[in-house]
Every structure is written in C-alpha cells, then in structure tokens.
Amino acid sequence: MSDKKKIMTSGNLAFAEAMRQIDPDVVAAYPITPSTEIPMKFAEFAANGKVTSEYIAVESEHSAISACVGASVAGARVMTASSANGVALMHEIFPIAASFRAPIVFGLVNRSLGAPVNIHCDHSDSMPERDSGWIQIYCEDAQEVYDTVLLSVRLAEDSRVLTPVFVCQDGFITSHCYEPLELLSDETVKKFVGERKALYPLLDTDNPVSYGSFTMSEYYFEIKRSQMEGMNNVLPVYAELAAELEKETGRYYPPIESYRADDADYIILIMSSASGVVKDVVDELREDGIKAGALRVRFFRPFPRKELAALAKGKRGAAVLDRSASIGGTSPLAAEVRSALYSLEEHVPVQEYIFGLGGRDFYAEDAHSVFDDLIKGRYTETPRFIGLLEKDDKNERA
Amino acid sequence: MQKTVEVRWHGRGGQGAKSASAILAEVLFEEGKHVQAFPEYGAERQGAPVRAYNRVSDSPIRRRCGVLNPNIVVVVDPTMVESANPTEGSAEDALYIINSGEDAKKLRSRLGVTSKARILVVDATKITLEELGQNRPNAPLLGALSNVFSDVPVESFVEHFTSKMKKLPPKALEANRRAILRGRTEATFA
C-alpha cells in the first residue's frame, strides 16, 4: 500500500496514534509522567468518537492493570500505559496477567524508580518486571515504537504465545522528542492487527471457564511450565510477524540489532535510545580504521541468548552498558550477556558499565572512552560508572 | 548546509521556547530535512530557565543526547544573555539570535564572543507587546530565525505557527503572524 503518511510526532504520541488505529476494546489507565500523554491523547480520541473503545479512568495504577486483566480474560483487546512507580504499584498484578495468558499490550515509558523522586529515564522500572512472565521489547525511536505496537498486538494474541507485552521506550528522550514518523493507513493497520479471537473468554457462557482459581502444589508448576512454552514460541512467531509487517513498511527489527558488528573486534552492547550515539561513534572509529561495532538488544524477554552468542562470538572485547542497576548483584543486561556468552568455547572478555541513571545524559565522548577501554584492555572486576560524579569531581553534567 | 546543525534555545517557562523549537523542526521537516526537537524537562513552572534543542540534518539523526556544542543559540529572554551562559560550549562561529532592545555591539561585548561569531538581534519582546499586548517573544524570534534558513519561505513559519497554536483565537493568530513577519524584517546583524 502506498497510502503512508509522514508526520512529526513524539514517542508517546506515536504510541497513542497506533492505539487509535488499533481501536482496542478496552483501555484502563492512570496517567503518570512521562507516559501521561498516551492515556491523555487516547482519552481525547475516546471522547471525540475517534475510537469505539471503552476508556476506563480508574483511581490507581493497581486498579488500571486489574481492570485490564479482567477485560482481557473476558475476551477484549486491551491496552494501557504507565511509568516508574506506577509500574511498581502494578507489580502484584503483572504475574497474574501473564499466568492468565492475558495478551495485554502495555506502553512502558521508562523512568527511574523513586526515591529520590526523579522524572527522567532509566530502566529501573521495567527491569524488576523481567521475571513477571511478560515479553519485554525496548525501542530506540518513535518509529520503532509505532511499528512495535502493531507487532505486539499480533504477537501477544497469537495462540502459540498468548503472553502480555511491554513495549518500552525511554522517558522524555524518546517519549517527548519530536521527530519524523511514517504512519500506515488506518485500513492497513486494521487489516494487519485483525480482530482478537479469544481462546477461552470468560464471557462465553456456552463454554464456561474459570480464571483465578486456587491450586496447590499439584498444578502450579505445570501452569508455569506452560507459560515458559508460550515464551519459547515468541521469537519464531515474532520472525513471521515482523516479516509480514516489513512488506508494508520496508522496516525490519531483529531481536538484536547488529550494527557493523559482523567483522568488529570491539563491541558495545546497549539498549534503547542511547544506541544512536553509539552507532555514530562506531562510524567515527571505523573511519580511523578501528573495527568497532554495536549490538542493540531489543528483546529482553525472552532474552535472545543464542542470537547474542552467535553475534558476539570471536570478539576481542565486549562492553555491556546497563541503564539500571541490580544493587548487590550483576546489572540485568550484563547478567544476561555474561550468561549467554559462557557457552562459547572462546572466551569473550566483558566489561560492565552502568550509565544514565535518573536521566544522566550519555554523550559521544562516553562511547569513545568505552571503546578506548576495550582497545587498551582495561578491565575491572566491578562495573564502571559513566558520567558519575565521584567525591572530588567538580564538573556537574546531566 | 553542514552535516548536522544543532540549535540550543534558552528561555523561561511560558515564553514558548519549547513550542518554537517544535515549529522550527516542523518547518524544516516539510522542507525534506531530518529533524529533532526536544526540550530539557525540569520542574515545570512559569519563569524558570528552560532549554530546548533542535538538530537538523540532510541524513537521518541517530544521537539523542543533549546539544553541547550548538551552531545556533537562541536567547528568548533578554535577561538570559548573562544568566543562562548561552556561549557555553558553542562553536566559535556560532550564530546567536537574541531577543534584546540593546545595541548589537554592546551585546557582542557582553557575550564575550570573537568576531567569528555572528549576532542577530531582534526586540521580540517589544514586537509582541505591540502586536499581542503580551510578552510572548517566540513568534518574532522564529521570524528572525527564518533569515538563517533563507531557502524556506517565511510563510511556512507562519503556517506552522498557526497550525500549532490553532486553539488561539483568530485575532491572536493574526497578531502572531504580524509578529513573525516583523521579526524577520526587524532583525539586524551585529
């Protein structure tokens, strides 16, 4: 189809526009910075008759996700959005949604978890949910957010998957940046996402089912095993869907984006919006004859460990840049990367970095110094911090 | 045009620096450029210092960090010539677009920039007080800025301002249109 339209918009508004085109049955939300614009814009669509959705304004994030779960198991197509402590308040309900196989599509606009209260980006809100049984996809820009929402509806509802999805984007950096975006036509989107065909809807009284029942140790384990099977199917199903959408958009997003990493000696592994400046630095280093590359991890759950091991194999050094910390343990991305690379016969040296907590900016010079560490073989047992003020530092930078 | 032009806006909450940066991005997007517009968010309140940024390029823009070395610096509020440190990190040949009623030569010495820097001065506050009866200096500054992007018709800036501010009454939009056009013609290089 050639009826595409290029507009200027932001990551938040790209998510909201995708919601308008998808026209989900139910949206229940409790707005929070920096994802506020998503329910705000969607409420406007609902009030002005641009969508047929039931928009439920609730009194807390816990209620928002609870209403989403109820509507989803009833058979509805359901979407919502949140950030930071709003996500944390929903935590109790996330594993229930996943276990009910409720295919909710969730706009998670990454923001640091308080305290101290901070509205800016890091991944400390989504990372605690990595074991909640949800798919997690991290986007670099508004276009990717838009495309990923469309893919996520199909992915979540696919009978081989039936698992809710977090579509993550970086708060403010992506959510509030105005940039060009190509929209598909409403008809193309409607055709692509189709109608939800719920497998075991609660409201089908001819085929009664029960959700939320009690099981002792004789069934619980098997339910979890079944969730794992659904998660195991995500990447193959995603590959089919991504190829299908590529026919409409010309854009394809692999689970891990490899940027000039094929023949690279040194690679940076990173997620979301900070990847762009790393790619710029890779290009600069290549001009100087240094074989630098980048791997942008897009799927965090399921974690594409086989793909990662294949992409990182034989490298002389790898730096893993985490935008969140696991205080007292290994940071989330570093832990996954180290685990995935352990199976390789030839050891790939890994250096861990923590960057960007609470919105601390990440510049080209930071990526340069990380590559410099790898080239000079400067490895430390503990993670290094990027842009952190230490005791006697005077230069404030944020 | 060089590879990527980076713009930094210094304003105060409520003066429209954020909207102006978004309008600039939309205008240049229509001209086929790759663009970004992003404000720096802090505690949002009227009168507090705010910064906003643009990147403009002929090729796709990937980096999303703040602009440290701007080619163009727009000072929306006259009091920020000193207080916001607009020369910080700026390229030596940067272009400064300043809302001020002051003599351009005096401004140059207050900024402390070399002769390589260009300074474009417009009394945007005076223009909007006369046209709108309010201190909303972003419209004349966009007009002044349109001199820099000389291949873009000034009407394009007017149209995008109007569509972005379509909730304003027609009279206010007309006043802003006049303010943009005056900003374009009344801006003078120092």
Side-chain angles (χ1 to χ4, degrees):
Chain A
M1 291 215 183
S2 58
D3 44 359
K4 294 172 189 161
K5 195 167 74 174
K6 257 202 154 182
I7 59 160
M8 284 288 293
T9 196
S10 66
N12 271 344
L13 297 180
F15 193 98
E17 182 62 11
M19 286 173 85
R20 183 191 64 74
Q21 295 184 311
I22 292 162
D23 195 0
D25 301 307
V26 174
V27 171
Y30 190 78
I32 180 170
T33 302
S35 51
T36 309
E37 286 169 312
I38 295 175
M40 188 183 90
K41 193 74 196 168
F42 192 79
E44 197 181 298
F45 291 143
N48 293 332
K50 304 281 185 202
V51 288
T52 59
S53 318
E54 185 79 27
Y55 179 80
I56 312 174
V58 289
E59 78 288 2
S60 78
E61 285 90 353
H62 192 280
S63 302
I65 192 67
S66 299
C68 287
V69 169
S72 185
V73 298
R77 177 173 279 167
V78 181
M79 299 178 77
T80 188
S82 193
S83 299
N85 294 58
V87 172
L89 185 58
M90 293 174 167
H91 173 77
E92 185 199 7
I93 307 301
F94 287 144
I96 299 174
S99 196
F100 284 0
R101 313 300 290 272
I104 298 162
V105 175
F106 190 117
L108 199 160
V109 182
N110 283 112
R111 164 183 162 185
S112 57
L113 269 187
V117 177
N118 175 315
I119 57 171
H120 287 286
C121 173
D122 65 34
H123 297 167
S124 61
D125 52 357
S126 57
M127 283 303 171
E129 306 310 331
R130 65 193 189 269
D131 296 335
S132 290
W134 287 50
I135 296 163
Q136 289 196 344
I137 309 173
Y138 290 78
C139 302
E140 183 178 342
D141 57 26
Q143 185 71 64
E144 190 180 335
V145 169
Y146 175 78
D147 294 349
T148 302
V149 181
L150 308 185
L151 286 166
S152 294
V153 170
R154 290 276 303 275
L155 181 63
E157 293 175 6
D158 191 285
S159 62
R160 295 163 287 178
V161 173
L162 267 187
T163 300
V165 184
F166 290 121
V167 179
C168 302
Q169 61 173 304
D170 280 351
F172 290 108
I173 305 166
T174 309
S175 68
H176 285 62
C177 178
Y178 275 78
E179 58 184 329
L181 176 100
E182 187 178 77
L183 293 175
L184 297 173
S185 70
D186 290 2
E187 295 68 36
T188 308
V189 170
K190 281 186 183 13
K191 204 173 136 227
F192 180 76
V193 297
E195 292 275 322
R196 182 181 172 201
K197 292 177 193 75
L199 276 182
Y200 307 105
L202 195 59
L203 294 184
D204 180 359
T205 48
D206 294 332
N207 301 287
V209 290
S210 165
Y211 283 89
S213 48
F214 179 85
T215 73
M216 294 289 272
S217 38
E218 70 272 39
Y219 285 123
Y220 182 91
F221 207 157
E222 285 69 22
I223 299 281
K224 294 298 124 183
R225 165 66 198 269
S226 133
Q227 284 178 245
M228 291 173 202
E229 284 302 308
M231 196 61 101
N232 288 341
N233 291 333
V234 167
L235 292 181
V237 171
Y238 173 78
E240 290 172 19
L241 297 172
E244 191 183 325
L245 190 63
E246 187 188 10
K247 284 181 196 146
E248 298 290 349
T249 63
R251 292 178 294 272
Y252 179 80
Y253 305 97
I256 298 173
E257 180 194 355
S258 170
Y259 186 76
R260 305 185 82 166
D262 278 2
D263 65 337
D265 291 328
Y266 305 102
I267 53 168
I268 284 181
L269 293 105
I270 192 162
M271 298 164 74
S272 300
S273 70
S275 317
V277 74
V278 173
K279 293 175 194 169
D280 282 353
V281 169
V282 165
D283 287 355
E284 286 172 32
L285 292 172
R286 287 276 177 167
E287 276 175 29
D288 297 338
I290 295 163
K291 285 185 169 179
L295 296 178
R296 179 173 68 92
V297 176
R298 192 168 124 75
F299 272 79
F300 196 79
R301 284 291 177 271
F303 194 82
R305 45 189 305 154
K306 271 190 206 153
E307 290 81 350
L308 181 74
L311 290 165
K313 192 178 166 190
K315 303 301 173 200
R316 292 170 69 180
V320 185
L321 273 60
D322 265 281
R323 198 158 200 155
S324 64
S326 173
I327 298 172
T330 305
S331 295
L333 181 59
E336 296 294 344
V337 169
R338 282 193 183 282
S339 162
L341 300 189
Y342 188 73
S343 62
L344 293 174
E345 274 178 32
E346 199 184 335
H347 174 68
V348 177
V350 170
Q351 174 63 43
E352 297 170 24
Y353 295 83
I354 294 172
F355 79 103
L357 299 192
R360 183 70 44 98
D361 214 342
F362 178 79
Y363 297 107
E365 63 183 49
D366 298 320
H368 271 291
S369 59
V370 168
F371 276 119
D372 202 43
D373 284 349
L374 293 181
I375 292 162
K376 299 207 168 100
R378 286 193 292 253
Y379 290 90
T380 49
E381 254 182 62
T382 51
R384 291 210 184 95
F385 304 108
I386 297 173
L388 180 75
L389 283 179
E390 295 288 8
K391 201 176 157 206
D392 296 316
D393 292 350
K394 289 196 173 60
N395 295 322
E396 189 184 339
R397 42 160 287 178
Chain B
M1 192 161 67
Q2 64 190 97
K3 215 173 167 221
T4 301
V5 173
E6 296 186 306
V7 186
R8 187 171 68 205
W9 299 73
H10 297 276
R12 295 190 181 279
Q15 291 180 333
K18 179 189 153 189
S19 299
S21 74
I23 291 164
L24 176 66
E26 286 175 13
V27 168
L28 298 172
F29 163 68
E30 290 290 329
E31 295 297 312
K33 301 288 184 198
H34 293 271
V35 292
Q36 279 180 348
F38 56 104
E40 203 171 80
Y41 284 87
E44 289 166 62
R45 60 199 190 278
Q46 285 228 335
V50 294
R51 287 179 177 203
Y53 305 102
N54 286 112
R55 286 193 177 95
V56 183
S57 179
D58 290 325
S59 43
I61 303 164
R62 294 186 296 209
R63 66 181 60 196
R64 286 160 183 282
C65 41
V67 169
L68 293 177
N69 310 113
N71 311 95
I72 299 176
V73 180
V74 187
V75 181
V76 182
D77 188 282
T79 65
M80 300 183 90
V81 171
E82 267 101 16
S83 68
N85 198 10
T87 57
E88 183 189 358
S90 314
E92 203 189 353
D93 60 352
L95 168 67
Y96 294 87
I97 298 176
I98 298 177
N99 169 21
S100 176
E102 227 181 319
D103 176 67
K105 279 188 187 130
K106 272 189 200 157
L107 274 174
R108 182 179 285 278
S109 77
R110 274 174 65 200
L111 281 168
V113 291
T114 70
S115 59
K116 281 188 180 168
R118 288 181 301 157
I119 300 177
L120 188 58
V121 189
V122 63
D123 197 345
T125 299
K126 180 172 154 255
I127 293 173
T128 53
L129 282 174
E130 286 171 5
E131 299 294 344
L132 291 90
Q134 282 178 348
N135 179 14
R136 302 267 175 208
N138 63 356
L141 283 164
L142 276 169
L145 200 51
S146 75
N147 288 302
V148 181
F149 300 95
S150 48
D151 43 349
V152 184
V154 68
E155 276 306 321
S156 182
F157 285 83
V158 174
E159 278 164 30
H160 282 278
F161 190 97
T162 307
S163 73
K164 189 117 198 134
M165 304 292 173
K166 57 178 180 266
K167 282 178 187 162
L168 291 178
K171 233 176 121 183
L173 288 174
E174 178 54 28
N176 273 300
R177 190 184 77 84
R178 289 194 305 271
I180 293 172
L181 297 176
R182 279 186 66 183
R184 182 176 171 100
T185 51
E186 290 177 26
T188 50
F189 275 103

